[in-house]
Amino acid sequence: MQVEPVDKNSSINVYADLNSDTISEVIRSGKGVPYFNILILDNNMRVYDQWNLQDSMDLDMSDFFFGNYDHDRYKEIYVFTYKDDSLFLNINEFFDPSGTKLDRIYLTKIRVVNKKVTSMIWPAGFFDTNGDGKDELFFSIQTGFGVEPRRLYSFDIAHRELKTSQLTGVICQFPRMVDSDGDGRPEIFGLMGASGNSKTWFPFSDWSTWLMVFNDSLKLKFPPVEFPGLTNILEINSYTKDGFKGYVVSHNTGSADTNVIKPRIMFYSLDGKKIRERLFSDLGLNTYTRMVVLKNRNTDRIYLLGKEFLELNDQLGVINKAKSPFNSSFDNSYIEDINFDGEDELLVYSLSEEKLVIFNADLKKIAETKLKGTERMFRFSHYSSKEHEKKIFLNAGGGYGYFLKLKRNNYYYLGYLAYPGIYLLFLLFIILIKRIDTMQVVQKESLNRRLVTLQLQGIKSQLDPHFTFNTLNSIASLIYLEDRHLAYDYMNKFTQLLRGLINDANRIYRSLGEELEFVITYLDLEKLRFGDKFNYEIIIGEGVSQREQVPKLVLHTFAENSIKHGIMSKTGGGLLKIRAEKDKDYLILSVEDNGIGRAKAEGQSASTGKGLKLTGEFYNILNQINKRPIKHFIIDLHSENGDSLGTRVEVWVPMD
């Protein structure tokens, strides 16, 4: 299958031939200032006209759609709009100068909660009920958090008359108009649900789901059949085969109530009598199962889509099956003639896997493609260019749009001739992969050994003999001066530092909290040695949990260098600042001092810089393993006059 993604602006388009010239126009909805509008363009995206709407348009409430109620060569565009809680119908026959153009036809009140519309309008179709040669528009309204309005409606466009079915608690989504009994007049039914939004009793309460079928006068064809309990869903389809005419009904539930009947598939007669049924569990389907009915070669075929895709006969026995192409559950299924051969195909989409798969009526997978979409129902429209090239346009919501075209692979059977060669190539490929894998294992082991060596060297470099000697001298002095409490505190912190080094000897990473605890212990020891020679600050930025994993001694190495080479050479008032902040996918750790700066320190210090060299090499080795590199920078701080203000070290640690 050929898939052509479109740009962001084109992804909101819908295509339709509004003037019967076999070339599609582009119809686009949008929000201008101050009006919502419908824009009509040609194939080259040149504007024919713009229709400004006086009220608000909400695609979550209702999409715009097309019809030809007066049966001429020009199609009309239909748009539902609202203001406050009032629902309006707008109609425009763009290409007919004397055609229908109606704005703000008031229909009914809709449900608004906290200034948010909770009603949804579902167009069902058109039919000439009164025989005047002009069709009426049929639609249903579904309302959440309340019952009114939940009805079927028909609007006589020619006479501007609105008719409704009786008020019930039933939600009817995706209504369809099908001549189920062959009398030339449609029946109306859809996806029926029980929401439990209202505790007020109504005929056919929304605490149950009801099997309902209406005629074109919006009267019930037979007494509704009740399915008690919340979260019940009924999918209703007409079914015609071998002289039988009736309905096939799928029942699903997500309820934990054991009184709710188990999910099943059923046949009903035209007058609402159950003929046969079968539990989904008997068919090996134990999760939510969707039913699809395809019309193929003038007969209906039934499919159940769950962890397996099954085709059933009119006795509800399995006659064909296919494995689900998804690792998880799929999100939506659609029926569409994707290859323009007059027969519908089955399209199934998984949002989590971003995969669209197409099956023919024999459950044979004929195409598969990766594409992004949203939870919103996809909208399909037919595109025909000036050159009469035909494609399907898929509006996947969220700014995603695609042109789809099925193309026969004329080289498919040549693949059989290549099988021996493919086998040899595959064998060579396996041998090569094994060689590469062996080399990678050797290289990885070498890296691991080097990391361990660097760890040990890093530990040894941290246990600076001068630092240890000075610490022990300080403790001895405190004992000599009989300041035993301070000496004990000093020795206790020193042993904490040693214990931290020894306990973490085999670790490469540890949490930021553990690293900060180690550094604070070290800084407290230095303060006990040098008194008020310096102070330090620890600053934790917003969103930093301290559970983030960082390389061991990432802060200590630079803090030690700042004190030894920057602050100790300063006359007084030394300050060390340690910060931890988040920036997108990185944790930024900084160690900043107000010492004499690197230039002066190099002239006064006999240090070899071995600790910093080891740290740089440690990061280089880690970056050969990490997906994203650890980065570190040493920044010299200067005043406007060029005087040194100290040094700041930044280490950027990736968070994946």
Side-chain angles (χ1 to χ4, degrees):
M1 180 168 62
Q2 180 179 336
V3 179
E4 302 172 20
V6 301
D7 61 47
K8 189 78 172 180
N9 290 330
S10 298
S11 66
I12 59 177
N13 295 342
V14 174
Y15 293 85
D17 181 7
L18 297 178
N19 55 5
S20 302
D21 64 351
T22 72
I23 301 172
S24 299
E25 280 73 49
V26 183
I27 301 92
R28 178 184 297 174
S29 63
K31 174 68 169 71
V33 179
Y35 299 111
F36 286 86
N37 59 70
I38 301 291
L39 199 63
I40 312 299
L41 309 98
D42 67 9
N43 265 200
N44 296 317
M45 308 307 287
R46 296 175 299 190
V47 178
Y48 279 123
D49 202 352
Q50 179 172 307
W51 181 20
N52 293 320
L53 302 164
Q54 298 181 44
D55 302 303
S56 296
M57 181 181 179
D58 186 348
L59 296 182
D60 290 331
M61 179 187 77
S62 174
D63 215 333
F64 61 88
F65 55 99
F66 312 100
N68 190 6
Y69 87 100
D70 51 2
H71 303 286
D72 61 5
R73 59 174 293 191
Y74 302 108
K75 290 181 180 178
E76 308 89 30
I77 300 178
Y78 295 78
V79 183
F80 289 105
T81 57
Y82 69 94
K83 183 175 182 181
D84 298 325
D85 62 350
S86 296
L87 180 68
F88 301 96
L89 176 63
N90 307 267
I91 307 173
N92 199 328
E93 198 170 6
F94 275 93
F95 286 97
D96 186 354
S98 60
T100 302
K101 189 176 188 302
L102 302 175
D103 288 312
R104 301 194 83 235
I105 305 170
Y106 174 77
L107 297 176
T108 186
K109 297 290 185 182
I110 55 175
R111 180 76 169 169
V112 178
V113 177
N114 295 329
K115 298 183 179 181
K116 175 67 176 176
V117 175
T118 64
S119 295
M120 297 182 70
I121 296 93
W122 306 90
F126 295 84
F127 182 71
D128 180 10
T129 299
N130 55 19
D132 65 353
K134 304 290 178 65
D135 289 344
E136 285 74 58
L137 167 65
F138 289 79
F139 59 95
S140 72
I141 299 182
Q142 165 200 339
T143 298
F145 307 103
V147 173
E148 181 68 31
R150 289 186 187 175
R151 303 173 187 256
L152 286 173
Y153 295 79
S154 69
F155 182 70
D156 187 336
I157 300 167
H159 302 95
R160 301 195 188 184
E161 294 179 355
L162 183 70
K163 295 181 180 179
T164 74
S165 63
Q166 70 179 94
L167 176 64
T168 71
V170 176
I171 291 176
C172 179
Q173 304 178 61
F174 311 107
R176 291 186 291 276
M177 299 177 67
V178 180
D179 182 9
S180 303
D181 53 11
D183 66 351
R185 306 185 74 90
E187 282 68 48
I188 308 167
F189 46 83
L191 180 71
M192 304 304 210
S195 61
N197 287 157
S198 176
K199 294 185 178 180
T200 304
W201 186 89
F202 286 90
F204 317 118
S205 158
D206 72 341
W207 289 75
S208 293
T209 303
W210 302 81
L211 171 58
M212 288 182 171
V213 177
F214 297 84
N215 61 22
D216 60 278
S217 297
L218 304 184
K219 305 296 183 184
L220 290 165
K221 292 282 288 187
F222 52 80
V225 180
E226 183 177 11
F227 292 77
L230 289 178
T231 72
N232 282 333
I233 294 176
L234 290 182
E235 293 182 83
I236 307 170
N237 274 280
S238 66
Y239 183 79
T240 302
K241 186 175 183 181
D242 299 333
F244 173 81
K245 294 181 184 294
Y247 301 98
V248 57
V249 180
S250 166
H251 168 258
N252 278 280
T253 181
S255 176
D257 187 352
T258 56
N259 293 320
V260 177
I261 68 170
K262 294 180 179 179
R264 63 194 64 205
I265 184 169
M266 299 157 281
F267 272 121
Y268 278 83
S269 65
L270 292 170
D271 58 357
K273 299 294 189 290
K274 185 162 62 176
I275 298 172
R276 64 180 62 91
E277 66 180 3
R278 190 165 184 190
L279 296 177
F280 288 153
S281 58
D282 291 344
L283 298 167
L285 301 172
N286 298 310
T287 57
Y288 183 85
T289 302
R290 295 184 181 176
M291 179 182 69
V292 175
V293 176
L294 283 183
K295 188 168 287 295
N296 178 258
R297 303 184 188 93
N298 296 319
T299 189
D300 291 335
R301 301 173 71 169
I302 306 169
Y303 306 88
L304 294 179
L305 311 181
K307 66 179 182 181
E308 285 188 302
F309 293 180
L310 308 179
E311 182 182 359
L312 307 184
N313 58 19
D314 51 11
Q315 299 300 312
L316 300 180
V318 178
I319 57 174
N320 193 11
K321 67 170 59 178
K323 183 180 178 182
S324 171
F326 307 107
N327 296 321
S328 57
S329 61
F330 59 91
D331 295 277
N332 289 311
S333 60
Y334 307 90
I335 298 173
E336 191 70 31
D337 183 5
I338 201 76
N339 55 3
F340 303 100
D341 65 350
E343 299 284 352
D344 286 334
E345 282 74 47
L346 172 63
L347 290 74
V348 191
Y349 180 73
S350 168
L351 181 65
S352 60
E353 298 180 35
E354 295 183 347
K355 184 165 69 173
L356 179 71
V357 183
I358 303 176
F359 293 86
N360 64 13
D362 296 322
L363 286 183
K364 179 181 178 182
K365 184 170 73 173
I366 57 177
E368 177 180 311
T369 187
K370 300 285 285 187
L371 55 84
K372 289 183 177 291
T374 65
E375 292 181 357
R376 181 184 168 198
M377 292 293 292
F378 291 174
R379 180 168 185 176
F380 296 86
S381 56
H382 287 200
Y383 167 84
S384 179
S385 68
K386 294 178 182 178
E387 294 77 25
H388 303 293
E389 179 190 16
K390 292 185 177 182
K391 301 177 185 177
I392 295 290
F393 181 72
L394 189 164
N395 185 330
Y400 301 113
Y402 308 87
F403 283 109
L404 308 180
K405 186 174 182 180
L406 278 180
K407 298 178 69 175
R408 180 181 293 276
N409 184 0
N410 295 321
Y411 301 101
Y412 176 78
Y413 292 104
L414 293 178
Y416 290 107
L417 301 177
Y419 282 172
I422 292 173
Y423 175 77
L424 291 175
L425 287 174
F426 183 73
L427 184 61
L428 291 173
F429 178 74
I430 293 297
I431 294 172
L432 179 62
I433 289 296
K434 285 187 175 181
R435 290 288 300 274
I436 293 173
D437 187 58
T438 301
M439 292 173 63
Q440 287 179 337
V441 169
V442 172
Q443 185 179 15
K444 186 175 180 180
E445 287 299 320
S446 175
L447 286 172
N448 286 335
R449 286 194 299 271
R450 183 59 181 151
L451 279 173
V452 171
T453 302
L454 286 171
Q455 282 182 278
L456 294 175
Q457 291 173 343
I459 291 170
K460 290 176 182 178
S461 71
Q462 306 311 317
L463 287 173
D464 187 334
H466 297 291
F467 168 69
T468 306
F469 178 75
N470 289 336
T471 302
L472 293 174
N473 269 346
S474 297
I475 296 170
S477 297
L478 292 171
I479 294 171
Y480 179 77
L481 294 173
E482 296 186 352
D483 194 344
R484 288 176 292 177
H485 293 292
L486 186 59
Y488 176 79
D489 189 34
Y490 204 115
M491 178 62 79
N492 187 45
K493 287 185 179 295
F494 184 59
T495 56
Q496 286 181 33
L497 196 68
L498 291 176
R499 187 181 298 111
L501 286 169
I502 294 169
N503 287 343
D504 290 341
N506 295 321
R507 296 170 65 182
I508 298 174
Y509 283 86
R510 62 182 169 193
S511 72
L512 175 60
E514 292 172 319
E515 178 69 15
L516 287 172
E517 183 181 354
F518 183 87
V519 169
I520 290 170
T521 302
Y522 165 73
L523 293 175
D524 287 344
L525 270 174
E526 293 292 68
K527 280 186 66 61
L528 284 171
R529 286 178 61 195
F530 298 111
D532 295 328
K533 180 75 174 178
F534 78 95
N535 286 305
Y536 66 87
E537 295 178 3
I538 307 292
I539 303 167
I540 305 299
E542 184 178 352
V544 177
S545 68
Q546 298 191 40
R547 293 189 296 272
E548 295 85 358
Q549 295 295 304
V550 299
K552 186 178 62 179
L553 302 176
V554 65
L555 292 174
H556 174 266
T557 303
F558 297 113
E560 184 182 36
N561 271 278
S562 290
I563 294 171
K564 183 185 294 184
H565 304 300
I567 293 176
M568 288 300 102
S569 300
K570 186 179 174 70
T571 303
L575 179 63
L576 184 71
K577 292 183 180 180
I578 296 176
R579 295 176 183 269
E581 299 172 314
K582 275 194 175 180
D583 185 317
K584 296 182 180 177
D585 297 330
Y586 274 90
L587 178 68
I588 304 175
L589 306 174
S590 66
V591 179
E592 180 178 323
D593 66 69
N594 64 347
I596 63 174
R598 284 197 297 169
K600 286 186 178 180
E602 287 177 2
Q604 298 180 14
S605 174
S607 171
T608 62
K610 189 174 182 181
L612 290 178
K613 291 178 183 177
L614 282 172
T615 300
E617 189 174 354
F618 185 70
Y619 292 162
N620 288 336
I621 297 293
L622 274 181
N623 288 340
Q624 296 181 46
I625 302 172
N626 294 337
K627 294 180 180 177
R628 289 185 294 148
I630 297 171
K631 300 178 286 187
H632 78 283
F633 312 95
I634 302 177
I635 304 162
D636 295 313
L637 305 177
H638 297 283
S639 67
E640 294 182 357
N641 299 326
D643 297 332
S644 176
L645 297 179
T647 308
R648 181 170 67 248
V649 178
E650 290 185 1
V651 182
W652 292 53
V653 181
M655 287 291 94
D656 56 6

